[in-house]
Amino acid sequence: DADRQDLVSFLAQGSAYAPQSGAITGILKQLGDEMSKDLSDLTVTEESSLKTFEELIGAKKKEVAALSQTIETKTAQIGELGVSVVQMKEDLSDTQAALEEDNKFLAELEKSCS
């Protein structure tokens, strides 16, 4: 009989219990909604950053291509100028040799004419 009274008193206390699962579910739903909104905001920000990054990469690739073309042009100009300098040096030495021969010829002419 004492066991029965313990059981009845335990069950009587149990009926006074009010479940809190509704509040917990509400809190979890609110957390889920906040996390979904945060994820959405972060996704939009990341997509915007990715688009900006892709645009920057495209611009840099165009810049590299333009600068590579400039380097090729300048390299070709350097080669042409190097060849031109060599040719001018050869022309200078030829002209100096011709001048020397002309001066000798002039000296001989002056000698023979006087």
Side-chain angles (χ1 to χ4, degrees), residues 8-49:
V8 169
S9 105
F10 176 74
L11 291 175
Q13 288 176 2
S15 65
Y17 172 74
Q20 299 294 319
S21 63
I24 293 172
T25 304
I27 291 171
L28 290 175
K29 183 175 180 342
Q30 182 182 2
L31 283 174
D33 291 345
E34 289 175 4
M35 291 176 83
S36 294
K37 183 182 178 299
D38 290 345
L39 177 63
S40 175
D41 292 345
L42 289 173
T43 301
V44 168
T45 302
E46 184 65 23
E47 287 173 354
S48 173
S49 296

Side-chain angles (χ1 to χ4, degrees), residues 105-114:
F105 179 70
L106 178 62
E108 288 177 21
L109 261 166
E110 286 177 352
K111 202 184 230 188
S112 64
C113 290
S114 42

Side-chain angles (χ1 to χ4, degrees), residues 60-111:
K60 290 297 178 182
K61 285 183 180 180
K62 287 179 183 176
E63 186 178 347
V64 166
L67 291 175
S68 294
Q69 181 63 36
T70 302
I71 289 171
E72 290 175 12
T73 302
K74 297 285 182 182
T75 302
Q77 286 177 345
I78 288 170
E80 291 169 2
L81 289 174
V83 169
S84 179
V85 166
V86 169
Q87 288 175 346
M88 287 180 181
K89 284 182 180 180
E90 288 176 2
D91 289 345
L92 176 62
S93 64
D94 291 345
T95 304
Q96 287 173 338
L99 177 62
E100 190 176 318
E101 288 178 22
D102 288 345
N103 284 336
K104 286 180 185 177
F105 179 70
L106 178 62
E108 288 177 21
L109 261 166
E110 286 177 352
K111 202 184 230 188

